[in-house]
Amino acid sequence: MNQPIWVLRAGGAPVLDLCAEILCCEGFPWYQELPAHQFDVAPPGVEVLLLAGSPVSSGVAQALAQAVHSGVALIAVTPDPTLAAALGLAFESGEPD
C-alpha cells in the first residue's frame, strides 16, 4: 500500500531531513521517502509529493509535471529551473524585494 504523501529527496544537504521530520511533528506520519531520481510516476493513492532539494533531472521534472497535471499536489521546497520549465513557469533567481 502506498502512503498518501511521498517525500522525494534531491541532493544530500542535511537540512533536507527536516522535511520528513516536520511532517511527523505536525501529525502526518503517513509518508514514504525515496530518492528523487527514482521517481517516475505517482501511483494511485499518492496525493502529495514533497520535493526536498534540487537539482532534478529533466526526466524527473517531466514526471513531476505529469503527476501535477493528473491532480497530485506538489510542494517543492527548493525548486530549480528544470522543474519550473516542466511546469510551464518562469524561474527568476535573485533576492526577493
Short mmCIF file of all heavy atoms in Angstrom, two decimals, residues 26-89:
data_model
loop_
_atom_site.label_atom_id
_atom_site.label_comp_id
_atom_site.label_asym_id
_atom_site.label_seq_id
_atom_site.Cartn_x
_atom_site.Cartn_y
_atom_site.Cartn_z
N GLU A 26 4.10 17.42 12.96
CA GLU A 26 2.80 18.05 12.74
C GLU A 26 1.66 17.03 12.65
O GLU A 26 0.52 17.40 12.37
CB GLU A 26 2.84 18.92 11.47
CG GLU A 26 3.75 20.12 11.61
CD GLU A 26 3.30 21.08 12.70
OE1 GLU A 26 2.08 21.26 12.89
OE2 GLU A 26 4.17 21.66 13.37
N GLY A 27 1.97 15.77 12.89
CA GLY A 27 0.93 14.76 12.93
C GLY A 27 0.63 14.08 11.61
O GLY A 27 -0.48 13.58 11.41
N PHE A 28 1.59 14.06 10.71
CA PHE A 28 1.42 13.40 9.41
C PHE A 28 2.43 12.25 9.28
O PHE A 28 3.42 12.38 8.58
CB PHE A 28 1.62 14.39 8.27
CG PHE A 28 0.60 15.48 8.21
CD1 PHE A 28 0.86 16.71 8.78
CD2 PHE A 28 -0.62 15.27 7.59
CE1 PHE A 28 -0.08 17.73 8.74
CE2 PHE A 28 -1.56 16.27 7.54
CZ PHE A 28 -1.30 17.50 8.12
N PRO A 29 2.17 11.12 9.92
CA PRO A 29 3.12 10.01 9.83
C PRO A 29 2.93 9.17 8.57
O PRO A 29 3.63 8.18 8.39
CB PRO A 29 2.79 9.19 11.08
CG PRO A 29 1.32 9.40 11.25
CD PRO A 29 1.07 10.82 10.84
N TRP A 30 2.01 9.56 7.68
CA TRP A 30 1.67 8.74 6.52
C TRP A 30 2.48 9.16 5.32
O TRP A 30 1.95 9.65 4.33
CB TRP A 30 0.19 8.86 6.20
CG TRP A 30 -0.66 8.87 7.41
CD1 TRP A 30 -1.01 7.80 8.18
CD2 TRP A 30 -1.24 10.01 8.02
NE1 TRP A 30 -1.78 8.21 9.23
CE2 TRP A 30 -1.93 9.58 9.17
CE3 TRP A 30 -1.23 11.37 7.73
CZ2 TRP A 30 -2.61 10.44 9.99
CZ3 TRP A 30 -1.91 12.23 8.56
CH2 TRP A 30 -2.60 11.76 9.67
N TYR A 31 3.77 9.00 5.37
CA TYR A 31 4.60 9.38 4.23
C TYR A 31 5.62 8.28 3.96
O TYR A 31 5.89 7.42 4.78
CB TYR A 31 5.31 10.72 4.47
CG TYR A 31 6.36 10.69 5.54
CD1 TYR A 31 7.67 10.38 5.23
CD2 TYR A 31 6.04 10.95 6.86
CE1 TYR A 31 8.64 10.34 6.21
CE2 TYR A 31 7.00 10.91 7.85
CZ TYR A 31 8.30 10.61 7.53
OH TYR A 31 9.25 10.56 8.50
N GLN A 32 6.15 8.37 2.76
CA GLN A 32 7.20 7.45 2.33
C GLN A 32 8.29 8.30 1.71
O GLN A 32 8.01 9.23 0.96
CB GLN A 32 6.62 6.49 1.30
CG GLN A 32 7.60 5.51 0.72
CD GLN A 32 6.89 4.54 -0.22
OE1 GLN A 32 5.68 4.30 -0.11
NE2 GLN A 32 7.63 4.01 -1.16
N GLU A 33 9.54 8.00 2.02
CA GLU A 33 10.67 8.73 1.45
C GLU A 33 11.34 7.90 0.38
O GLU A 33 11.46 6.69 0.50
CB GLU A 33 11.71 9.04 2.53
CG GLU A 33 11.31 10.12 3.49
CD GLU A 33 12.46 10.49 4.41
OE1 GLU A 33 13.31 11.29 3.99
OE2 GLU A 33 12.49 9.97 5.53
N LEU A 34 11.78 8.60 -0.68
CA LEU A 34 12.61 7.94 -1.67
C LEU A 34 13.45 8.98 -2.40
O LEU A 34 13.10 10.17 -2.42
CB LEU A 34 11.78 7.10 -2.65
CG LEU A 34 10.90 7.80 -3.66
CD1 LEU A 34 10.91 6.96 -4.94
CD2 LEU A 34 9.49 7.85 -3.13
N PRO A 35 14.58 8.55 -2.96
CA PRO A 35 15.40 9.50 -3.73
C PRO A 35 14.63 10.01 -4.93
O PRO A 35 13.94 9.25 -5.62
CB PRO A 35 16.60 8.65 -4.17
CG PRO A 35 16.62 7.47 -3.26
CD PRO A 35 15.18 7.23 -2.87
N ALA A 36 14.76 11.30 -5.20
CA ALA A 36 14.03 11.92 -6.31
C ALA A 36 14.37 11.27 -7.64
O ALA A 36 13.50 11.13 -8.51
CB ALA A 36 14.31 13.41 -6.34
N HIS A 37 15.61 10.85 -7.82
CA HIS A 37 16.00 10.28 -9.12
C HIS A 37 15.28 8.96 -9.42
O HIS A 37 15.28 8.50 -10.55
CB HIS A 37 17.52 10.12 -9.22
CG HIS A 37 18.07 9.03 -8.37
ND1 HIS A 37 18.48 9.25 -7.06
CD2 HIS A 37 18.29 7.73 -8.61
CE1 HIS A 37 18.92 8.12 -6.55
NE2 HIS A 37 18.83 7.18 -7.47
N GLN A 38 14.64 8.35 -8.41
CA GLN A 38 13.91 7.11 -8.63
C GLN A 38 12.44 7.35 -8.99
O GLN A 38 11.72 6.42 -9.33
CB GLN A 38 13.96 6.23 -7.38
CG GLN A 38 15.32 5.67 -7.10
CD GLN A 38 15.32 4.80 -5.86
OE1 GLN A 38 14.32 4.62 -5.18
NE2 GLN A 38 16.49 4.25 -5.53
N PHE A 39 11.99 8.61 -8.92
CA PHE A 39 10.58 8.90 -9.18
C PHE A 39 10.29 8.88 -10.67
O PHE A 39 10.98 9.53 -11.46
CB PHE A 39 10.19 10.27 -8.61
CG PHE A 39 8.76 10.62 -8.85
CD1 PHE A 39 7.76 10.06 -8.09
CD2 PHE A 39 8.41 11.49 -9.88
CE1 PHE A 39 6.43 10.36 -8.32
CE2 PHE A 39 7.08 11.80 -10.12
CZ PHE A 39 6.09 11.24 -9.34
N ASP A 40 9.24 8.13 -11.05
CA ASP A 40 8.82 8.14 -12.45
C ASP A 40 7.32 8.32 -12.62
O ASP A 40 6.86 8.81 -13.63
CB ASP A 40 9.30 6.90 -13.20
CG ASP A 40 8.80 5.61 -12.59
OD1 ASP A 40 8.14 5.63 -11.54
OD2 ASP A 40 9.07 4.55 -13.19
N VAL A 41 6.54 7.95 -11.60
CA VAL A 41 5.09 8.13 -11.67
C VAL A 41 4.53 8.07 -10.24
O VAL A 41 5.05 7.36 -9.40
CB VAL A 41 4.43 7.05 -12.57
CG1 VAL A 41 4.55 5.67 -11.98
CG2 VAL A 41 3.00 7.40 -12.87
N ALA A 42 3.47 8.85 -10.01
CA ALA A 42 2.79 8.80 -8.71
C ALA A 42 1.71 7.71 -8.79
O ALA A 42 0.77 7.83 -9.57
CB ALA A 42 2.16 10.14 -8.38
N PRO A 43 1.87 6.65 -8.02
CA PRO A 43 0.88 5.58 -8.09
C PRO A 43 -0.45 6.00 -7.45
O PRO A 43 -0.51 6.99 -6.73
CB PRO A 43 1.53 4.44 -7.30
CG PRO A 43 2.59 5.05 -6.48
CD PRO A 43 2.96 6.35 -7.12
N PRO A 44 -1.51 5.24 -7.69
CA PRO A 44 -2.80 5.55 -7.07
C PRO A 44 -2.66 5.63 -5.55
O PRO A 44 -1.93 4.85 -4.95
CB PRO A 44 -3.68 4.37 -7.47
CG PRO A 44 -3.05 3.83 -8.71
CD PRO A 44 -1.57 4.08 -8.55
N GLY A 45 -3.33 6.58 -4.97
CA GLY A 45 -3.29 6.75 -3.51
C GLY A 45 -2.33 7.82 -3.05
O GLY A 45 -2.44 8.33 -1.95
N VAL A 46 -1.38 8.20 -3.89
CA VAL A 46 -0.45 9.27 -3.54
C VAL A 46 -1.13 10.59 -3.87
O VAL A 46 -1.53 10.84 -5.00
CB VAL A 46 0.89 9.14 -4.29
CG1 VAL A 46 1.78 10.35 -4.02
CG2 VAL A 46 1.60 7.87 -3.86
N GLU A 47 -1.29 11.45 -2.86
CA GLU A 47 -2.00 12.71 -3.03
C GLU A 47 -1.08 13.92 -3.01
O GLU A 47 -1.43 14.96 -3.55
CB GLU A 47 -3.05 12.85 -1.94
CG GLU A 47 -4.11 11.77 -2.01
CD GLU A 47 -5.12 11.86 -0.89
OE1 GLU A 47 -5.21 12.90 -0.23
OE2 GLU A 47 -5.83 10.86 -0.68
N VAL A 48 0.08 13.79 -2.35
CA VAL A 48 1.01 14.91 -2.21
C VAL A 48 2.43 14.42 -2.46
O VAL A 48 2.85 13.41 -1.90
CB VAL A 48 0.94 15.55 -0.81
CG1 VAL A 48 1.95 16.67 -0.66
CG2 VAL A 48 -0.46 16.05 -0.49
N LEU A 49 3.16 15.18 -3.29
CA LEU A 49 4.59 14.95 -3.48
C LEU A 49 5.31 16.14 -2.88
O LEU A 49 4.99 17.29 -3.18
CB LEU A 49 4.93 14.85 -4.96
CG LEU A 49 4.30 13.68 -5.70
CD1 LEU A 49 4.51 13.82 -7.21
CD2 LEU A 49 4.89 12.37 -5.21
N LEU A 50 6.24 15.88 -1.99
CA LEU A 50 7.04 16.93 -1.39
C LEU A 50 8.47 16.76 -1.88
O LEU A 50 9.13 15.78 -1.54
CB LEU A 50 6.98 16.83 0.14
CG LEU A 50 7.48 18.01 0.93
CD1 LEU A 50 6.86 18.03 2.31
CD2 LEU A 50 8.97 18.08 1.02
N LEU A 51 8.91 17.67 -2.73
CA LEU A 51 10.25 17.60 -3.29
C LEU A 51 11.19 18.40 -2.40
O LEU A 51 11.07 19.61 -2.30
CB LEU A 51 10.28 18.14 -4.72
CG LEU A 51 11.65 18.19 -5.40
CD1 LEU A 51 12.24 16.78 -5.52
CD2 LEU A 51 11.55 18.87 -6.75
N ALA A 52 12.09 17.72 -1.75
CA ALA A 52 13.05 18.34 -0.84
C ALA A 52 14.41 18.36 -1.51
O ALA A 52 15.04 17.33 -1.67
CB ALA A 52 13.11 17.58 0.48
N GLY A 53 14.84 19.53 -1.92
CA GLY A 53 16.16 19.68 -2.52
C GLY A 53 16.10 19.86 -4.03
O GLY A 53 15.05 19.82 -4.65
N SER A 54 17.26 20.07 -4.58
CA SER A 54 17.43 20.22 -6.01
C SER A 54 18.90 19.96 -6.32
O SER A 54 19.71 19.93 -5.41
CB SER A 54 17.00 21.62 -6.47
OG SER A 54 17.80 22.62 -5.89
N PRO A 55 19.27 19.75 -7.53
CA PRO A 55 18.50 19.80 -8.76
C PRO A 55 17.81 18.48 -9.03
O PRO A 55 18.09 17.47 -8.37
CB PRO A 55 19.56 20.08 -9.81
CG PRO A 55 20.77 19.37 -9.30
CD PRO A 55 20.69 19.52 -7.80
N VAL A 56 16.93 18.49 -10.03
CA VAL A 56 16.32 17.26 -10.52
C VAL A 56 16.59 17.17 -12.01
O VAL A 56 16.75 18.19 -12.68
CB VAL A 56 14.81 17.20 -10.24
CG1 VAL A 56 14.53 17.13 -8.76
CG2 VAL A 56 14.07 18.36 -10.86
N SER A 57 16.62 15.97 -12.51
CA SER A 57 16.85 15.77 -13.95
C SER A 57 15.61 16.19 -14.72
O SER A 57 14.51 16.31 -14.16
CB SER A 57 17.17 14.30 -14.23
OG SER A 57 16.02 13.51 -14.02
N SER A 58 15.76 16.36 -16.02
CA SER A 58 14.61 16.73 -16.84
C SER A 58 13.57 15.61 -16.85
O SER A 58 12.37 15.87 -16.89
CB SER A 58 15.05 17.09 -18.26
OG SER A 58 15.68 15.99 -18.87
N GLY A 59 14.01 14.36 -16.77
CA GLY A 59 13.07 13.24 -16.73
C GLY A 59 12.23 13.24 -15.47
O GLY A 59 11.01 13.03 -15.52
N VAL A 60 12.86 13.51 -14.33
CA VAL A 60 12.13 13.59 -13.07
C VAL A 60 11.21 14.81 -13.08
O VAL A 60 10.06 14.74 -12.65
CB VAL A 60 13.09 13.64 -11.86
CG1 VAL A 60 12.36 13.99 -10.58
CG2 VAL A 60 13.82 12.31 -11.71
N ALA A 61 11.70 15.93 -13.61
CA ALA A 61 10.87 17.14 -13.69
C ALA A 61 9.63 16.88 -14.54
O ALA A 61 8.52 17.29 -14.17
CB ALA A 61 11.68 18.30 -14.26
N GLN A 62 9.78 16.18 -15.65
CA GLN A 62 8.63 15.86 -16.50
C GLN A 62 7.66 14.92 -15.78
O GLN A 62 6.45 15.06 -15.90
CB GLN A 62 9.09 15.25 -17.83
CG GLN A 62 9.79 16.23 -18.75
CD GLN A 62 8.88 17.37 -19.17
OE1 GLN A 62 7.69 17.21 -19.36
NE2 GLN A 62 9.47 18.55 -19.30
N ALA A 63 8.20 13.95 -15.05
CA ALA A 63 7.34 13.02 -14.30
C ALA A 63 6.57 13.76 -13.21
O ALA A 63 5.39 13.49 -12.98
CB ALA A 63 8.18 11.89 -13.70
N LEU A 64 7.22 14.71 -12.54
CA LEU A 64 6.54 15.51 -11.52
C LEU A 64 5.44 16.38 -12.16
O LEU A 64 4.34 16.49 -11.63
CB LEU A 64 7.54 16.39 -10.77
CG LEU A 64 8.48 15.66 -9.84
CD1 LEU A 64 9.60 16.59 -9.37
CD2 LEU A 64 7.73 15.10 -8.64
N ALA A 65 5.75 16.97 -13.31
CA ALA A 65 4.76 17.79 -14.01
C ALA A 65 3.56 16.93 -14.42
O ALA A 65 2.41 17.37 -14.28
CB ALA A 65 5.39 18.45 -15.23
N GLN A 66 3.80 15.73 -14.88
CA GLN A 66 2.71 14.83 -15.26
C GLN A 66 1.85 14.50 -14.04
O GLN A 66 0.62 14.45 -14.14
CB GLN A 66 3.25 13.55 -15.89
CG GLN A 66 2.18 12.57 -16.30
CD GLN A 66 1.23 13.15 -17.34
OE1 GLN A 66 1.63 13.89 -18.23
NE2 GLN A 66 -0.04 12.84 -17.22
N ALA A 67 2.48 14.28 -12.90
CA ALA A 67 1.73 14.00 -11.66
C ALA A 67 0.85 15.19 -11.29
O ALA A 67 -0.32 15.02 -10.92
CB ALA A 67 2.69 13.65 -10.52
N VAL A 68 1.40 16.39 -11.40
CA VAL A 68 0.64 17.60 -11.09
C VAL A 68 -0.56 17.72 -12.04
O VAL A 68 -1.68 18.01 -11.61
CB VAL A 68 1.53 18.86 -11.16
CG1 VAL A 68 0.70 20.14 -11.12
CG2 VAL A 68 2.54 18.85 -10.03
N HIS A 69 -0.33 17.49 -13.32
CA HIS A 69 -1.41 17.59 -14.30
C HIS A 69 -2.49 16.54 -14.08
O HIS A 69 -3.63 16.73 -14.48
CB HIS A 69 -0.86 17.50 -15.72
CG HIS A 69 -0.04 18.69 -16.11
ND1 HIS A 69 -0.49 19.98 -16.06
CD2 HIS A 69 1.24 18.78 -16.52
CE1 HIS A 69 0.45 20.82 -16.43
NE2 HIS A 69 1.53 20.12 -16.71
N SER A 70 -2.13 15.44 -13.42
CA SER A 70 -3.13 14.40 -13.14
C SER A 70 -3.81 14.60 -11.78
O SER A 70 -4.60 13.76 -11.37
CB SER A 70 -2.50 13.02 -13.24
OG SER A 70 -1.57 12.82 -12.19
N GLY A 71 -3.47 15.70 -11.08
CA GLY A 71 -4.18 16.03 -9.84
C GLY A 71 -3.42 15.84 -8.55
O GLY A 71 -3.97 16.07 -7.47
N VAL A 72 -2.17 15.43 -8.61
CA VAL A 72 -1.36 15.26 -7.40
C VAL A 72 -0.78 16.62 -7.01
O VAL A 72 -0.27 17.34 -7.86
CB VAL A 72 -0.23 14.23 -7.62
CG1 VAL A 72 0.65 14.10 -6.40
CG2 VAL A 72 -0.82 12.88 -8.01
N ALA A 73 -0.87 16.96 -5.74
CA ALA A 73 -0.30 18.22 -5.25
C ALA A 73 1.22 18.09 -5.15
O ALA A 73 1.74 17.03 -4.80
CB ALA A 73 -0.88 18.57 -3.89
N LEU A 74 1.91 19.18 -5.46
CA LEU A 74 3.37 19.20 -5.39
C LEU A 74 3.83 20.37 -4.53
O LEU A 74 3.40 21.51 -4.74
CB LEU A 74 3.98 19.34 -6.79
CG LEU A 74 5.49 19.57 -6.87
CD1 LEU A 74 6.26 18.35 -6.33
CD2 LEU A 74 5.91 19.88 -8.29
N ILE A 75 4.68 20.08 -3.57
CA ILE A 75 5.34 21.11 -2.77
C ILE A 75 6.83 20.97 -3.05
O ILE A 75 7.42 19.94 -2.76
CB ILE A 75 5.08 20.92 -1.26
CG1 ILE A 75 3.58 20.98 -0.97
CG2 ILE A 75 5.84 21.96 -0.45
CD1 ILE A 75 3.21 20.54 0.43
N ALA A 76 7.42 22.00 -3.64
CA ALA A 76 8.85 21.98 -3.94
C ALA A 76 9.54 22.93 -2.97
O ALA A 76 9.35 24.14 -3.05
CB ALA A 76 9.10 22.40 -5.38
N VAL A 77 10.33 22.38 -2.06
CA VAL A 77 10.97 23.18 -1.02
C VAL A 77 12.05 24.08 -1.61
O VAL A 77 12.14 25.25 -1.27
CB VAL A 77 11.53 22.27 0.10
CG1 VAL A 77 12.26 23.09 1.14
CG2 VAL A 77 10.40 21.48 0.73
N THR A 78 12.86 23.55 -2.49
CA THR A 78 13.88 24.35 -3.17
C THR A 78 13.82 24.06 -4.66
O THR A 78 14.63 23.29 -5.19
CB THR A 78 15.30 24.03 -2.62
OG1 THR A 78 15.52 22.63 -2.69
CG2 THR A 78 15.47 24.51 -1.20
N PRO A 79 12.84 24.64 -5.35
CA PRO A 79 12.66 24.33 -6.78
C PRO A 79 13.83 24.85 -7.62
O PRO A 79 14.57 25.73 -7.20
CB PRO A 79 11.38 25.06 -7.14
CG PRO A 79 11.28 26.16 -6.15
CD PRO A 79 11.92 25.65 -4.88
N ASP A 80 13.97 24.27 -8.79
CA ASP A 80 15.04 24.69 -9.68
C ASP A 80 14.46 24.99 -11.07
O ASP A 80 13.29 24.73 -11.34
CB ASP A 80 16.16 23.65 -9.74
CG ASP A 80 15.78 22.36 -10.41
OD1 ASP A 80 14.60 22.18 -10.78
OD2 ASP A 80 16.65 21.52 -10.60
N PRO A 81 15.25 25.58 -11.95
CA PRO A 81 14.76 25.96 -13.27
C PRO A 81 14.22 24.80 -14.10
O PRO A 81 13.28 24.97 -14.88
CB PRO A 81 15.98 26.59 -13.95
CG PRO A 81 16.85 27.04 -12.83
CD PRO A 81 16.62 26.05 -11.73
N THR A 82 14.79 23.61 -13.95
CA THR A 82 14.32 22.46 -14.73
C THR A 82 12.88 22.12 -14.37
O THR A 82 12.05 21.87 -15.24
CB THR A 82 15.24 21.24 -14.48
OG1 THR A 82 16.58 21.61 -14.79
CG2 THR A 82 14.83 20.06 -15.33
N LEU A 83 12.58 22.11 -13.08
CA LEU A 83 11.22 21.82 -12.64
C LEU A 83 10.27 22.94 -13.06
O LEU A 83 9.17 22.68 -13.54
CB LEU A 83 11.17 21.63 -11.12
CG LEU A 83 9.79 21.36 -10.54
CD1 LEU A 83 9.17 20.11 -11.14
CD2 LEU A 83 9.89 21.24 -9.02
N ALA A 84 10.70 24.18 -12.90
CA ALA A 84 9.85 25.31 -13.29
C ALA A 84 9.49 25.22 -14.78
O ALA A 84 8.33 25.40 -15.15
CB ALA A 84 10.56 26.63 -12.98
N ALA A 85 10.47 24.93 -15.61
CA ALA A 85 10.22 24.83 -17.05
C ALA A 85 9.25 23.70 -17.37
O ALA A 85 8.36 23.86 -18.21
CB ALA A 85 11.54 24.63 -17.80
N ALA A 86 9.39 22.57 -16.68
CA ALA A 86 8.50 21.44 -16.92
C ALA A 86 7.06 21.77 -16.54
O ALA A 86 6.11 21.25 -17.12
CB ALA A 86 8.97 20.21 -16.14
N LEU A 87 6.90 22.69 -15.58
CA LEU A 87 5.57 23.10 -15.15
C LEU A 87 5.05 24.31 -15.92
O LEU A 87 3.97 24.81 -15.65
CB LEU A 87 5.58 23.40 -13.65
CG LEU A 87 5.83 22.20 -12.74
CD1 LEU A 87 6.10 22.65 -11.31
CD2 LEU A 87 4.65 21.23 -12.79
N GLY A 88 5.86 24.81 -16.85
CA GLY A 88 5.45 25.96 -17.64
C GLY A 88 5.57 27.27 -16.90
O GLY A 88 4.87 28.24 -17.20
N LEU A 89 6.47 27.33 -15.93
CA LEU A 89 6.66 28.53 -15.13
C LEU A 89 7.98 29.20 -15.45
O LEU A 89 8.95 28.54 -15.82
CB LEU A 89 6.64 28.18 -13.63
CG LEU A 89 5.39 27.46 -13.12
CD1 LEU A 89 5.60 26.99 -11.69
CD2 LEU A 89 4.18 28.38 -13.21
#
